[in-house]
Amino acid sequence: MASPAIGIIENYFTCEFTTVARDGSPQTWPVSPRLLDDGRLLTGTSIGLPQKAYNIRRSPKVSMLFSEPRGSGVTEPGAVLIQGDATAEDRIVSDIATEPELAALAETLFRRQPAGALWSTWLGRRLWWSYYMRILIYVTPRRALYWPTRDFTQRPEELDPNEIRRVG
C-alpha cells in the first residue's frame, strides 16, 4: 500500500516549485509534476518561459511543496515538501509522443485539467506552438518532509527519499 505522502505527490494537481534566481532570491511557480518509477519527479518548461531552466543550470537546488489538495480527491490531505537537485536538459523536445515519460506527464495533466486538451488539438498547437517545445526538468529528491494534517506549526515527519517511488 502506498504511503499517504506518495498519494499526495501523485494526486495533488500542482505543487509550488522553487528555484534560486541569479540574485539568490527564491522564485516559485505552480507546476504539475509526475512521479517517475525511479523516484525522480518530472516537470518541464516551455521554450517561451525558460527561467526555471536558467535558474536550475546556475543552481540545481530546488524544492517542491505539495500543499493544496483542492480537486485531488485526497480524503485526508496533508503536505509534502521535497528538497532536491534538479537537472534541466539541454535538448528541446518538440514531440511529446517521442518521450514516454513526457507523454505520461501530458496524460496526467489532461486527466487533471480536461479543458487543457484544447491546446493539444491541431488548432491549439498552431496557436501556441512554443508551449509544446519543452525543456525537461528532472528532480532527484534529497530530503522529504510530510505533514499529515497540513498544520505547518507541527514538526513534520522525515521520509526516506529512497522510498519515494510510484506504486502500481
Side-chain angles (χ1 to χ4, degrees):
M1 181 170 156
S3 80
I6 300 300
I8 287 169
I9 293 168
E10 288 193 319
N11 291 296
Y12 280 21
F13 286 12
T14 61
C15 73
E16 297 83 36
F17 182 70
T18 302
T19 63
V20 179
R22 183 183 324 209
D23 66 2
S25 64
Q27 284 190 316
T28 303
W29 297 269
V31 299
S32 292
R34 178 167 173 90
L35 181 60
L36 302 176
D37 292 338
D38 64 6
R40 292 179 305 156
L41 292 118
L42 170 64
T43 189
T45 191
S46 76
I47 62 168
L49 302 166
Q51 192 61 50
K52 288 187 280 283
Y54 293 158
N55 289 351
I56 289 166
R57 289 175 183 152
R58 253 192 319 277
S59 174
K61 302 293 182 205
V62 300
S63 69
M64 303 175 99
L65 177 62
F66 296 82
S67 65
E68 177 52 62
R70 189 169 299 134
S72 69
V74 174
T75 56
E76 294 183 29
V80 175
L81 174 66
I82 302 292
Q83 296 171 322
D85 298 318
T87 56
E89 291 194 344
D90 290 330
R91 68 190 176 104
I92 296 170
V93 177
S94 59
D95 182 357
I96 292 172
T98 63
E99 296 293 323
E101 292 172 338
L102 185 57
L105 174 59
E107 180 182 311
T108 299
L109 291 173
F110 294 143
R111 187 178 67 248
R112 291 176 180 168
Q113 302 169 2
L118 163 69
W119 293 109
S120 66
T121 65
W122 177 85
L123 178 61
R125 286 177 185 253
R126 180 105 178 172
L127 293 173
W128 202 16
W129 58 269
S130 66
Y131 181 78
Y132 286 93
M133 299 191 76
R134 310 297 291 173
I135 299 170
L136 303 184
I137 297 171
Y138 291 91
V139 176
T140 301
R142 300 292 179 216
R143 185 173 187 213
L145 302 174
Y146 169 60
W147 289 264
T149 64
R150 291 190 312 146
D151 179 354
F152 295 107
T153 64
Q154 298 297 310
R155 171 172 253 120
E157 295 176 26
E158 184 116 15
L159 304 174
D160 180 350
N162 294 319
E163 292 179 13
I164 297 174
R165 301 277 189 269
R166 289 186 61 82
V167 178

